[in-house]
Amino acid sequence: MRVIRFTPNTTALSVLGGLLICAVAVAADESSWTKPPARAQLQQDPVLTPKGKGLLFVPAMSSNEPSYQVFRNGRKIIDANTGRSLPLDPGTYDVLIGSGTITQFMRKTVPIVDGETTVMKPDWTALVIDVLDRTRTSINESYELLEANTGETYGIGFGIEEERGERVRTWLLKPGVYHVVKVGESFTAIRKFSVQLLPGTLSQRNLVFDSDAGEFIGFYPRPSLLSGTALVASNVSSQTEVSGAVQVNTSHQTAGDDRTSLSLTVQIFNRTRYSKNRDFASIRVIFEEGATTQEGEDLVKGADRAEVRATYIRRLSRRIGPYLRGVINTTLFPEDARFTNDGTDLVRVQRSGQIDTLRGIREFTVAPSLSPMTLRQGIGINSQVYRSFQLNMDLRLGFGARQDLVTDTFQLGQHEQMQRATELKSTSSTGVEALFILDARLTRFVNLDSEFDLLMTSRKRGDWFFSWENRLRIALTSGVNLDLVADFERDQTLNDVQGREQLLLRFSRFY
């Protein structure tokens, strides 16, 4: 394969017994790219040259660049992606590449020769902007990109939700100076951030948003790690949040009266993510422990939750790709039921069928540590249904399995004016799963997150099991939020809908 290196600002060319290109060389800083150098990309490219055609190769500087357009004789031929060879008939073509409107794209004229590869040496520039909050978490906040000299807008950029496998968009632009401002502001705005973009160079920046002030407060180069002779962005990020909450809790029990209590809760939350090219993985760990007091009773165990969620997504395109996920949910401490000081009689029904009566007991262990333990697994297709600044929706469809493992665990109820404890059995089920994830920005300081997880084990709706988690978060100050939580669940163990509502004043610190 013969390779023709083509520089887009060629001023003269002639074809006579071959191709002669007179070009002005443009020095590309390939060490700034997150993709391999152009020569390495071309060597790894699997596309072969078809008979009677030539190849056009436009190297990629990053992983999520917009496609370019190819025209011939004023007619659009195809949209193509950078970093992969494009077979074309011999002739002269116009290539439009860039971000913004089509009138803002850069136009390059390239020759295609039978049996040869024409490589475009990029004289454009690339820009990647991650939008973060004060805790260094990627957020779906918008900004506007303006050309500094003319004030011309190149469009609106968005932050991302990395846990859903999203990737930040790359801007492809003409070299020069650009301003980053709030949406709707002009290049004369007092608060703006500027960046100078050089030919053939990838520039990566973090844009920091203060949700309390509603302003961008920082703009700086993305931290990078030294790898060989090139600087590459770190693909792994991890964040830990330690928070405390004052909680008013109302529990709707399957059997027994509703209970209202006051609780003090401490939560440790860690999220670790890996994102590179087409691969995305996320592990989320939550430990939530608390103590509860009710009128006339001693302090007892309140919130008790230990959960690990792992998700892997293989990106086939920007919006769709297969996923693999697993969830472990359990409690760390035993759950005890307390009765009146005089004690009570309790009928205990064991799984073996044996029935006995416990007389005058004041306390009964409903569940030991690590019971019940719920395991969920799923594999299928992840789809980004809708993306905007105000609303994001994701849908996952696939095959799912669930196991509810219990050991010496009982369900309390009333039977003939006596307390009755029925031992539960471990269950397992498989079927079609659907997972719907939504987050909505209702106002600047109010966010709604919702996740609905459904497992359909048969055609009968009575055999369907689900969990529905909802959280409305109101930002009061930096590090202080008011959270309204409503969770609902129907599982195979209890075969009924359980509800939990919480009102939390949460104080947080991030590491």
Side-chain angles (χ1 to χ4, degrees):
M1 178 180 67
R2 182 181 174 188
V3 177
I4 302 174
R5 297 206 170 274
F6 176 76
T7 304
N9 59 348
T10 301
T11 58
L13 59 85
S14 61
V15 180
L16 183 59
L19 183 67
L20 176 64
I21 300 176
C22 300
V24 178
V26 177
D29 183 9
E30 297 185 350
S31 67
S32 67
W33 299 3
T34 55
K35 283 290 190 177
R39 182 183 297 273
Q41 292 184 42
L42 186 59
Q43 291 175 346
Q44 298 169 6
D45 184 40
V47 178
L48 301 178
T49 307
K51 185 176 181 180
K53 293 181 179 290
L55 296 180
L56 171 64
F57 184 80
V58 181
M61 301 187 203
S62 65
S63 300
N64 195 21
E65 297 183 352
S67 59
Y68 62 90
Q69 301 177 12
V70 180
F71 289 77
R72 188 175 190 184
N73 299 325
R75 185 173 64 90
K76 182 178 176 180
I77 302 298
I78 193 173
D79 289 326
N81 295 323
T82 58
R84 194 174 184 88
S85 294
L86 176 65
L88 294 171
D89 293 328
T92 301
Y93 295 82
D94 290 325
V95 174
L96 271 66
I97 187 168
S99 298
T101 64
I102 193 168
T103 58
Q104 295 171 319
F105 287 7
M106 294 158 281
R107 180 182 293 269
K108 316 295 179 182
T109 301
V110 296
I112 300 297
V113 179
D114 184 7
E116 298 177 354
T117 298
T118 300
V119 179
M120 290 182 62
K121 189 172 184 180
D123 63 349
W124 57 89
T125 186
L127 174 64
V128 173
I129 298 178
D130 279 306
V131 185
L132 313 176
D133 62 16
R134 296 173 67 100
T135 67
R136 302 185 300 276
T137 300
S138 296
I139 58 174
N140 184 29
E141 187 66 52
S142 60
Y143 62 91
E144 193 163 359
L145 187 67
L146 308 176
E147 204 279 332
N149 292 327
T150 63
E152 182 181 10
T153 178
Y154 275 75
I156 297 176
F158 294 91
I160 62 170
E161 295 286 344
E162 285 189 345
E163 193 166 346
R164 297 174 189 171
E166 299 177 3
R167 291 178 297 171
V168 67
R169 182 180 72 170
T170 300
W171 298 87
L172 297 183
L173 305 161
K174 300 175 184 178
V177 178
Y178 292 81
H179 293 319
V180 177
V181 299
K182 288 182 62 176
V183 175
E185 293 187 346
S186 70
F187 72 108
T188 60
I190 296 177
R191 182 179 290 272
K192 59 179 177 285
F193 299 98
S194 302
V195 57
Q196 183 173 9
L197 305 180
L198 302 177
T201 300
L202 170 64
S203 300
Q204 301 182 79
R205 296 293 186 270
N206 285 340
L207 179 63
V208 183
F209 182 75
D210 185 348
S211 58
D212 293 336
E215 299 284 352
F216 293 115
I217 60 174
F219 190 68
Y220 60 95
R222 182 193 295 181
S224 57
L225 299 177
L226 189 62
S227 177
T229 60
L231 291 174
V232 296
S234 174
N235 300 312
V236 179
S237 63
S238 182
Q239 180 185 38
T240 300
E241 175 188 6
V242 179
S243 62
V246 180
Q247 171 181 310
V248 178
N249 186 71
T250 300
S251 298
H252 302 294
Q253 305 294 327
T254 302
D257 299 331
D258 294 348
R259 296 186 301 176
T260 302
S261 58
L262 176 65
S263 302
L264 300 176
T265 305
V266 174
Q267 184 185 83
I268 300 175
F269 173 93
N270 175 269
R271 179 171 56 193
T272 301
R273 292 167 293 190
Y274 171 84
S275 182
K276 183 179 181 181
N277 298 334
R278 295 188 176 274
D279 297 302
F280 170 81
S282 172
I283 298 178
R284 189 180 75 177
V285 181
I286 298 176
F287 293 103
E288 185 175 12
E289 304 299 331
T292 301
T293 180
Q294 300 187 61
E295 186 176 355
E297 296 186 7
D298 297 332
L299 192 68
V300 297
K301 184 188 81 167
D304 185 9
R305 177 189 179 194
E307 181 179 280
V308 179
R309 290 175 178 253
T311 302
Y312 170 76
I313 297 174
R314 174 69 176 179
R315 304 180 181 108
L316 299 181
S317 69
R318 296 180 183 177
R319 291 189 175 272
I320 196 168
Y323 73 88
L324 180 66
R325 73 182 187 106
V327 180
I328 302 175
N329 190 290
T330 188
T331 58
L332 298 182
F333 298 98
E335 180 181 352
D336 298 322
R338 296 188 178 184
F339 305 104
T340 62
N341 293 332
D342 296 334
T344 188
D345 294 339
L346 179 70
V347 177
R348 181 172 60 184
V349 181
Q350 300 180 346
R351 283 183 296 179
S352 61
Q354 180 180 348
I355 301 176
D356 57 358
T357 302
L358 306 177
R359 302 288 183 180
I361 63 172
R362 297 180 180 179
E363 187 175 279
F364 178 76
T365 300
V366 176
S369 301
L370 304 180
S371 182
M373 177 179 291
T374 300
L375 308 178
R376 297 200 297 268
Q377 309 87 35
I379 185 172
I381 297 296
N382 178 78
S383 174
Q384 298 179 5
V385 178
Y386 186 79
R387 282 290 176 273
S388 73
F389 173 63
Q390 290 83 10
L391 179 66
N392 294 291
M393 294 186 294
D394 285 70
L395 179 64
R396 296 174 186 170
L397 293 173
F399 178 79
R402 173 172 178 152
Q403 303 85 39
D404 293 300
L405 309 178
V406 295
T407 304
D408 298 328
T409 300
F410 294 82
Q411 178 183 350
L412 291 181
Q414 198 76 17
H415 181 70
E416 296 181 356
Q417 299 181 348
M418 291 185 64
Q419 289 282 350
R420 182 185 182 95
T422 304
E423 187 174 8
L424 301 177
K425 299 179 180 180
S426 297
T427 60
S428 178
S429 54
T430 59
V432 176
E433 75 167 9
L435 183 65
F436 180 75
I437 304 172
L438 175 146
D439 74 79
R441 185 183 298 272
L442 304 181
T443 70
R444 180 184 298 176
F445 305 108
V446 180
N447 281 72
L448 173 64
D449 295 308
S450 182
E451 182 174 312
F452 185 77
D453 189 349
L454 174 67
L455 180 63
M456 298 170 282
T457 58
S458 71
R459 295 182 178 180
K460 298 179 181 180
R461 293 186 180 180
D463 295 335
W464 295 5
F465 309 104
F466 69 85
S467 63
W468 187 18
E469 301 177 1
N470 303 275
R471 180 184 296 268
L472 183 71
R473 172 163 290 191
I474 303 173
L476 302 179
T477 65
S478 178
V480 181
N481 300 305
L482 183 65
D483 289 0
L484 286 77
V485 179
D487 295 339
F488 305 94
E489 183 176 16
R490 183 179 189 273
D491 61 33
Q492 193 170 6
T493 303
L494 298 178
N495 199 30
D496 203 349
V497 177
Q498 306 293 298
R500 183 184 69 150
E501 297 84 33
Q502 296 176 305
L503 176 63
L504 304 97
L505 183 63
R506 187 177 294 279
F507 305 89
S508 302
R509 182 168 183 179
F510 295 87
Y511 300 90

